[in-house]
Amino acid sequence: DAGVIQSPRHEVTEMGQEVTLRCKPISGHNSLFWYRQTMMRGLELLIYFNNNVPIDDSGMPEDRFSAKMPNASFSTLKIQPSEPRDSAVYFCASSLALSGLFGDRGYEQYFGPGTRLTVT
Amino acid sequence: KQEVTQIPAALSVPEGENLVLNCSFTDSAIYNLQWFRQDPGKGLTSLLLIQSSQREQTSGRLNASLDKSSGRSTLYIAASQPGDSATYLCAVTGANNLFFGTGTRLTVIP
């Protein structure tokens, strides 16, 4: 398996522009997670899906952030409009969890390589 | 809110030495604990996953222990190698979130 695939690997954009990050989870996994990593705040969970359904989006910082999972093999994280403070590395991860409960015998999470976003 | 602490923040050891990385958490109501490795500019690689009912897991030169009641986990690396140089993160799984520590940056000197 190719692992979790993210695109683009690097994104540089100007403030106010729309940014779309993409993720393809590992085939057969039923849970998908979006994280953000910054020097100041470390790794933070933004949102997670189970069987394509958003379960908890309480980590999404603002209404400018939205995430979708139209099918089991694809998810997007969109920022509109983007701001310089959104600059970070965004990771997608997937796992095979037994149920929709986040921690219920949750299996290992496998991370993608990340997208480094720079908003100028 | 769960707080996860890793000490030390950075560690340098000569090649061949055995070492221990520490992780502590404030809320013992966890489902599992996972150790990750992150190389500069790269994603996270899962090293070991310990379920809350387990006390340790082993993989090659790595051994992770979990003492849920005291809120502690250790990652033991035997016979360290320069290729082990990376940042090591622990993460605990709660009911609704995965809480990461800030990591320990390990440098193994040849």
Side-chain angles (χ1 to χ4, degrees), chain A residues 52-101:
Chain A
N52 312 337
V53 176
I55 304 300
D56 191 328
D57 64 354
S58 59
M60 297 283 261
E62 299 173 32
D63 291 344
R64 298 183 296 105
F65 287 68
S66 62
K68 294 182 180 179
M69 192 164 187
N71 57 63
S73 60
F74 183 66
S75 177
T76 59
L77 177 68
K78 185 177 294 186
I79 308 173
Q80 166 63 18
S82 58
E83 297 182 4
R85 60 194 168 118
D86 301 330
S87 298
V89 180
Y90 290 81
F91 289 104
C92 174
S94 71
S95 73
L96 179 60
L98 285 179
S99 75
L101 295 176

Side-chain angles (χ1 to χ4, degrees), chain A residues 108, chain B residues 46-49 56-64 75-78:
Chain A
E108 289 177 85
Chain B
S46 177
L47 298 173
L48 289 164
L49 172 73
E56 67 177 333
Q57 282 286 329
T58 298
S59 175
R61 295 183 293 108
L62 306 179
N63 176 276
L75 178 66
Y76 174 83
I77 302 177

